[in-house]
Amino acid sequence: MIRDFVTIIQDYWLLLLIGQYPNGPLGGLANTIILSVLAIGLAFPISILMALARLSKWRLLRWPVTGLVYVTRGVPLLMLILWCYFVIPLWTGADVPSFFIMLVTLVVYQGAFLSEVVRAGIVSLGQGQMDAARALGHGYMGAMRFVILPQALYNMIPSMISTFVSTIKDTTLGYVINVPDLTFAASQVNNQLLTQPFQVFLILAVVYYIICWSLTFAANTIERRITRRRAGPRNARLRDDAAPLITIREQL
Amino acid sequence: MSTSISEPHAAPAIRITDVCKSYGDYRVLRNITAEVARGEVVVICGPSGSGKSTLIRTVNRLEEISSGAITFEGHDIHTPMRARDLNTLRSRIGFVFQSFNLFPHLSVVDNVSMSPIRVRGLPVDQAHDTALKLLDRVGLAEKANAYPGQLSGGQQQRVAIARALAMEPPVMLFDEPTSALDPEMVGEVLSVMKSLAADGMTMLCVTHEMGFARDVADRIWFIDKGEILESAPPEDFFQNPRHPRAQRFLADLRH
């Protein structure tokens, strides 16, 4: 039994890692990670814009984005993937690679989820910070940039890592539109072996688990640190001269 | 319009003319008309819920008004204007909040110097030098690199005053600056405010500190149910308040 696992890994590790590259498209774990990082990297700035739009006083900005967020959150991701898969080529008339379709879908989907996280982060700061910034003469965007967002985004780091974890898991759904990711590679392996689905998919599960668990662990560690920092000086008194001025200068 | 004749200066720092504000049927401010002359220290007092904080927040338009006008050095604050112009006006009106509202992600010196850098475009070095001087003035030079979370309430409020002063405002507004403080920290904040007044700063303060009002104010506005019922120098107000509501308020304070 254990030998099966070792043999599978020995024979197919490269396929699982990078797919058929360089003879075919890049796939496997490498593609899963590239897809997740790109998705979250693009969803992050979009989610900030969406959150700002949802908090905007202009209905023209607030209503469409609110609608988009509600629809996106209320529809299964698989529906969205299939929809993009069939509709984007219809609209554009081009043969869009499935990797790209998956990326767009994930960006929209995770952007909608992250925008709620960002919005919660902004709202939870309370009105006082915005009042203080406005009273000093900052415009709305200046107050957002220098006062509100640095705090809101910092507080939101753990939630963002969680969203990243769920993005990694969501990339597996790309399988249905033939995105050559880790799941796709594993099922290729399974198709070649035919007799060891349990072993192959257990290996797949373990790989996903290790990646997602380490990220969740990182999120929890950071969350504890943030909680401690928010708790203030009575619990964790920093020395004044040890205060990290450098990071702050970078923000300025 | 009842512009009082006794004001010493021709162009007041703040002129409030017939200002009303309501939330639905509830009238928070009723026909407020008053002036703060340049260099004058005015204390607004009155029972809680009387509209004091709302009034002071309308002066830099953190609150909108329903009707009337407020001018700051002759500029109409509550008129349709470009956002940039309103920001410029606001940057010239210092505001100190009851809950300090320091920026917790910035060190003390960055709290004080950020707005001069970002709003007025001062060079970083110059803004930092000014910030350190102001922190020295409020007695907190040694806390320049600390974070707000590491300071006591009184220290935070003094930083907040330094932060407002960094924009070099000709007028300072204080919205119950000592109400959120432990009793032993009230004095340090009031003494900073006293020294500001002594330097000739125009100040409009909502406060329950009647000692401060008596010693420092040039004039007291007593406000109840959104109306200024009495506007008098402190000696008159405390010795023989004319309005029955003011008499009751002062009697309650003595208990």
Side-chain angles (χ1 to χ4, degrees):
Chain A
M1 185 74 179
I2 303 281
R3 273 238 311 281
D4 291 346
F5 289 109
V6 176
T7 316
I8 293 172
I9 291 170
Q10 274 177 342
D11 292 351
Y12 294 105
W13 66 274
L14 199 60
L15 179 67
L16 291 171
L17 198 63
I18 58 170
Q20 286 164 339
Y21 190 81
N23 302 316
L26 182 67
L29 180 60
N31 214 26
T32 291
I33 289 174
I34 290 173
L35 185 58
S36 314
V37 169
L38 277 180
I40 203 84
L42 292 172
F44 178 60
I46 287 176
S47 71
I48 295 177
L49 295 179
M50 285 168 83
L52 292 182
R54 288 207 61 191
L55 292 168
S56 166
K57 58 182 178 196
W58 294 309
R59 286 179 204 155
L60 214 61
L61 221 53
R62 196 173 66 226
W63 283 358
V65 176
T66 306
L68 178 68
V69 170
Y70 271 71
V71 169
T72 312
R73 293 184 61 196
V75 168
L77 178 55
L78 191 54
M79 288 306 97
L80 229 82
I81 294 169
L82 291 174
W83 195 76
C84 287
Y85 183 65
F86 292 115
V87 169
I88 291 182
L90 265 183
W91 280 353
T92 58
D95 182 20
V96 187
S98 58
F99 176 88
F100 186 72
I101 287 175
M102 191 63 198
L103 180 61
V104 170
T105 318
L106 281 175
V107 167
V108 171
Y109 189 72
Q110 300 298 359
F113 272 83
L114 264 184
S115 78
E116 288 294 90
V117 171
V118 174
R119 195 172 67 101
I122 292 172
V123 171
S124 69
L125 283 183
Q127 189 61 34
Q129 291 288 308
M130 182 53 100
D131 280 352
R134 301 308 299 271
L136 285 161
H138 292 269
Y140 182 79
M141 291 317 281
M144 275 292 167
R145 182 173 156 207
F146 301 118
V147 176
I148 307 293
L149 284 179
Q151 298 180 64
L153 297 183
Y154 178 79
N155 294 344
M156 288 296 112
I157 289 172
S159 308
M160 282 173 198
I161 297 178
S162 309
T163 310
F164 187 50
V165 168
S166 75
T167 307
I168 291 174
K169 293 187 215 164
D170 289 345
T171 56
T172 57
L173 288 174
Y175 179 77
V176 300
I177 58 168
N178 290 329
V179 177
D181 70 337
L182 180 59
T183 309
F184 189 83
S187 87
Q188 276 183 320
V189 173
N190 184 46
N191 288 343
Q192 288 181 26
L193 293 171
L194 287 173
T195 53
Q196 298 174 324
F198 173 75
Q199 289 87 334
V200 171
F201 288 110
L202 187 65
I203 291 174
L204 182 66
V206 167
V207 173
Y208 277 118
Y209 183 79
I210 291 173
I211 297 171
C212 294
W213 181 84
S214 12
L215 282 171
T216 309
F217 180 78
N220 289 341
T221 312
I222 293 171
E223 185 155 30
R224 265 199 303 278
R225 197 173 297 169
I226 292 174
T227 314
R228 218 180 309 143
R229 195 179 146 151
R230 273 205 217 116
R234 271 144 209 93
N235 300 322
R237 187 153 208 127
L238 294 164
R239 272 173 40 241
D240 292 349
D241 53 342
L245 254 186
I246 300 132
T247 54
I248 301 311
R249 290 266 161 67
E250 281 165 3
Q251 282 171 9
L252 271 175
Chain B
M1 214 171 91
S2 66
T3 322
S4 78
I5 311 148
S6 63
E7 297 298 346
H9 299 282
I14 300 166
R15 170 176 283 155
I16 304 172
T17 315
D18 208 21
V19 163
C20 298
K21 179 180 174 67
S22 8
Y23 297 113
D25 287 342
Y26 182 63
R27 297 179 69 198
V28 194
L29 300 177
R30 301 164 192 243
N31 307 88
I32 301 250
T33 296
E35 284 185 7
V36 182
R38 289 178 198 212
E40 198 177 24
V41 176
V42 172
V43 163
I44 307 176
C45 65
S48 59
S50 56
K52 310 182 293 285
S53 286
T54 308
L55 175 61
I56 203 167
R57 285 169 63 90
T58 60
V59 173
N60 69 348
R61 206 169 165 179
L62 285 178
E63 298 273 357
E64 298 290 335
I65 58 178
S66 305
S67 64
I70 298 177
T71 61
F72 160 68
E73 295 190 330
H75 302 282
D76 197 342
I77 298 272
H78 287 269
T79 186
M81 65 174 106
R82 287 183 309 175
R84 207 186 324 146
D85 297 334
L86 178 59
N87 294 337
T88 308
L89 281 177
R90 275 190 181 135
S91 73
R92 304 192 58 230
I93 304 175
F95 200 102
V96 177
F97 296 85
Q98 179 178 357
S99 49
F100 328 135
N101 293 345
L102 291 181
F103 306 134
H105 61 302
L106 298 178
S107 67
V108 163
V109 67
D110 288 334
N111 260 282
V112 179
S113 61
M114 180 184 72
S115 301
I117 296 168
R118 291 295 170 190
V119 176
R120 295 178 61 200
L122 289 191
V124 176
D125 291 348
Q126 191 188 331
H128 274 237
D129 288 348
T130 314
L132 290 173
K133 276 185 203 126
L134 286 168
L135 287 171
D136 191 40
R137 181 168 172 190
V138 299
L140 287 170
E142 80 283 8
K143 295 286 184 190
N145 291 335
Y147 279 80
Q150 298 166 267
L151 304 181
S152 72
Q155 291 171 329
Q156 289 193 51
Q157 193 61 297
R158 285 188 279 155
V159 173
I161 294 173
R163 179 176 70 174
L165 289 174
M167 297 301 283
E168 297 176 350
V171 169
M172 288 281 284
L173 310 178
F174 294 82
D175 184 7
E176 303 203 27
T178 57
S179 298
L181 296 176
D182 291 338
E184 76 269 23
M185 293 168 184
V186 170
E188 59 190 79
V189 171
L190 289 182
S191 75
V192 169
M193 290 170 66
K194 277 181 193 167
S195 83
L196 271 181
D199 289 351
M201 175 64 80
T202 308
M203 293 162 64
L204 182 57
C205 319
V206 174
T207 182
H208 297 293
E209 298 297 331
M210 288 303 127
F212 174 82
R214 197 189 303 261
D215 297 346
V216 183
D218 298 309
R219 178 168 293 275
I220 291 177
W221 299 350
F222 176 75
I223 179 168
D224 186 33
K225 297 201 173 78
E227 271 181 292
I228 294 185
L229 297 181
E230 192 150 346
S231 167
E235 51 272 26
D236 289 359
F237 179 73
F238 287 110
Q239 296 312 317
N240 42 27
R242 275 165 301 162
H243 199 281
R245 190 66 194 85
Q247 290 163 4
R248 191 138 42 88
F249 176 76
L250 287 173
D252 287 344
L253 279 184
R254 287 195 192 95
H255 285 307

